[in-house]
């Protein structure tokens, strides 16, 4: 795979903040499973058939899924896979610090175009090291994590811009960015 590893201390705070605000706002408060998000998904998605309620996976659960994948054998595949991901996420949280989890995830996640890891993605999309990323560039890369083909800034500029703005809005919503800075970006 096209990947290089970056150390967490080489990454700008705005990248980490954008990622946490967008992907798992309670990342620093849970132990691998966000009960609130899981209950929301159970009620809204399963009982009320509201597919717009979002996912319930934490960053750690997403990492477990990325590391071990999912088999597709029957209609029970997803519930069984989710249970496995929960178990693995809990184990990961016992073994690694939050910072180590962030570093591992950002070095293994796909950014599309056969690009894995934040350093390779930063070089591919912005021709710079992650430590040099501006806040809006960080938001573009975080936006790619939702759907790396749909939000690819090289092939779908308008969608990438809209997703970037969503990431910046999430940062403002959760206190990582003030309203004036958001408006200026």
């Amino acid at each position: 795979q096209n990947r290089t590893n970056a150390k967490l201390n080489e990454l700008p705070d705005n990248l980490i903040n954008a990622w946490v605000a967008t992907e798992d706002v309670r990342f620093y408060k849970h132990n691998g499973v966000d009960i609130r998000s899981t209950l929301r998904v159970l009620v809204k998605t399963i009982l009320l058939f509201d597919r717009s309620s979002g996912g319930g996976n934490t960053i750690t659960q997403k990492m477990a899924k990325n590391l071990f994948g999912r088999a597709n054998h029957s209609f029970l595949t997803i519930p069984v896979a989710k249970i496995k991901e929960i178990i693995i996420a809990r184990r990961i949280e016992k073994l690694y610090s939050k910072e180590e989890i962030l570093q591992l995830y950002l070095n293994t996640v796909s950014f599309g175009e056969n690009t894995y890891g934040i350093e390779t993605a930063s070089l591919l999309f912005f021709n710079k090291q992650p430590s040099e990323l501006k806040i809006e560039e960080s938001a573009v890369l975080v936006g790619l994590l939702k759907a790396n083909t749909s939000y690819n800034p090289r092939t779908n500029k308008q969608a990438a811009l809209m997703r970037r703005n969503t990431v910046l809005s999430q940062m403002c919503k959760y206190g990582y960015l003030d309203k004036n800075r958001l408006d200026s970006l």
Side-chain angles (χ1 to χ4, degrees):
Q1 295 173 339
N2 183 13
R3 172 184 24 224
T4 55
N5 289 327
K7 292 188 171 125
L8 197 60
N9 63 1
E10 298 169 346
L11 303 178
D13 288 342
N14 64 53
L15 174 71
I16 302 299
N17 294 341
W19 184 46
V20 169
T22 306
E23 297 292 322
D24 186 359
V25 72
R26 288 180 290 278
F27 175 71
Y28 294 105
K29 296 177 183 167
H30 63 66
N31 60 357
V33 179
D34 185 348
I35 301 299
R36 229 167 104 184
S37 292
T38 303
L39 291 174
R40 182 191 73 240
V41 169
L42 285 172
V43 171
K44 287 188 172 182
T45 305
I46 296 172
L47 298 177
L48 301 176
F49 302 106
D50 180 3
R51 305 223 8 115
S52 67
S53 66
N57 281 350
T58 65
I59 288 170
T60 314
Q61 287 173 277
K62 291 174 187 181
M63 188 175 76
K65 179 182 169 189
N66 288 347
L67 291 174
F68 299 104
R70 284 185 181 167
N72 191 5
H73 300 295
S74 70
F75 73 96
L76 289 176
T77 298
I78 291 183
V80 169
K82 289 281 189 189
I83 291 168
K84 286 181 180 178
E85 289 163 12
I86 287 169
I87 293 167
I88 293 168
R90 298 287 300 262
R91 288 180 180 170
I92 288 170
E93 290 269 348
K94 287 180 182 177
L95 294 172
Y96 298 101
S97 69
K98 292 290 188 176
E99 290 73 24
E100 290 170 323
I101 292 168
L102 289 172
Q103 182 174 309
L104 181 59
Y105 185 86
L106 282 172
N107 282 314
T108 58
V109 70
S110 172
F111 286 88
E113 297 189 30
N114 197 32
T115 300
Y116 293 82
I118 189 65
E119 184 173 4
T120 306
S122 180
L123 291 168
L124 175 71
F125 292 107
F126 298 108
N127 197 30
K128 56 175 73 171
Q129 290 294 317
S131 61
E132 301 168 330
L133 289 171
K134 297 179 191 172
I135 192 167
E136 56 272 26
E137 295 166 336
S138 293
V140 168
L141 292 177
V142 168
L144 276 167
L145 296 176
K146 181 172 178 86
N148 55 38
T149 301
S150 299
Y151 298 117
N152 184 322
R154 293 167 13 137
T155 59
N156 199 345
K157 290 179 182 170
Q158 189 60 34
L161 179 65
M162 289 173 56
R163 181 67 185 156
R164 180 206 75 171
N165 291 344
T166 298
V167 171
L168 292 171
S169 294
Q170 286 294 104
M171 291 179 73
C172 183
K173 179 179 178 179
Y174 293 110
Y176 293 110
L177 190 64
D178 66 42
K179 181 79 169 116
N180 290 334
R181 181 84 167 120
L182 174 66
D183 291 342
S184 73
L185 293 170

